[in-house]
Amino acid sequence: MAPTKESLESLKHAPGVEGMVHHILHRWSPRAYADKDVPVEDLKKGFEAARWAASSFNEQPWRFLVGRRGDATYQKIFDSLVPFNQSWAKSAPVLILSVARKHFAHNGEVNLHSWHDTGAAMANFGVQITALGLHSHSMAGFDHAKAQAAFHIPDDFETVAVTAVGYLGDPESLPEGPRKSEVAPRQRKDLKEIVFSEWDKPAF
Ligand SMILES: Cc1cc2nc3c(=O)[nH]c(=O)nc-3n(C[C@H](O)[C@H](O)[C@H](O)COP(=O)(O)O)c2cc1C
């Protein structure tokens, strides 16, 4: 039987831990989106959260191109996606291309943390829009050169990821492959596997 939106949400939410921010626990990456526009004010709140992320030397290396279904920006971002991502992302009403500046403005040196900081900004974005009842799903599967050329992005910037945004849709609308993962529980490594006091020795 197809899950309801409520049962799918509760399957996907991470188990509650006392004192944790529940929008972190409730963020997950759907592939099916409802045919419903995202209010501009909510998108702006997502980008507010993104711009308040920490960054090395406060460089704020991130830039974002935001496309809404029907506009040229959306189409150019969509055209850069690999076919698998196109197969599901076509239901998302918003697509964002995140871009990182390669060099520091203050001294021209290579910013080795530009992708780290751009990812941190998008992580903030994801938690904020979860708080607004929306969902997002980032993608590495796109043609960087195609996206760079489509927007005439200058050489000192590089495309990092594409992120779909929208309201949760019906898993039944998805092709078979993505449909299976849409209704499967989420998996995570245990803290013991990732937090060490010495290499490979769990800290807790
Ligand atoms: C940088 C990045 C790239 C990703 N690339 C893709 C992608 O190309 N296609 C896709 O379907 N999912 C992609 N994902 C989604 C991940 O598979 C997903 O975040 C992961 O399975 C954990 O699931 P959750 O976000 O629901 O917790 C990507 C996620 C991130 C953060």
Side-chain angles (χ1 to χ4, degrees), residues 26 42 47 95 115 128 136-137 161 172 199:
H26 292 182
D42 285 357
F47 289 115
L95 290 176
W115 282 47
Q128 176 59 48
S136 65
H137 190 139
E172 295 299 310
W199 188 252

Side-chain angles (χ1 to χ4, degrees), residues 7 20 31 54 69-70 80 82-83 106 120 137 145 147 162 179 188 193 196 199:
S7 68
M20 274 192 68
R31 293 194 174 89
R69 199 174 17 228
S80 76
V82 298
H106 71 280
H137 190 139
V162 173
R179 195 188 321 138
R188 282 303 187 271
E193 297 174 75
F196 305 146
W199 188 252

Side-chain angles (χ1 to χ4, degrees), residues 27-29 31 84-85 88 137-141 161 186 188:
R27 184 216 59 83
W28 63 282
S29 306
R31 293 194 174 89
F84 171 76
N85 285 335
W88 61 263
H137 190 139
S138 288
M139 292 165 261
R186 292 162 70 219
R188 282 303 187 271

Side-chain angles (χ1 to χ4, degrees), residues 157-183:
F157 291 81
E158 52 194 352
T159 55
V160 175
V162 173
T163 301
V165 184
Y167 293 97
L168 187 60
D170 180 1
E172 295 299 310
S173 66
L174 290 168
E176 195 189 336
R179 195 188 321 138
K180 276 196 185 140
S181 46
E182 192 79 346
V183 295

Side-chain angles (χ1 to χ4, degrees), residues 18-77:
E18 178 67 29
M20 274 192 68
V21 174
H22 73 265
H23 298 121
I24 292 177
L25 301 172
H26 292 182
R27 184 216 59 83
W28 63 282
S29 306
R31 293 194 174 89
Y33 290 90
D35 187 13
K36 183 176 168 189
D37 282 342
V38 177
V40 175
E41 285 311 313
D42 285 357
L43 269 182
K44 282 168 81 173
K45 286 174 193 159
F47 289 115
E48 276 295 327
R51 86 187 176 94
W52 285 104
S55 64
S56 179
F57 284 97
N58 199 21
E59 169 67 26
Q60 305 162 62
W62 46 73
R63 302 289 185 276
F64 306 106
L65 283 146
V66 54
R68 317 193 77 208
R69 199 174 17 228
D71 71 21
T73 307
Y74 184 100
Q75 195 59 46
K76 287 193 271 192
I77 299 173

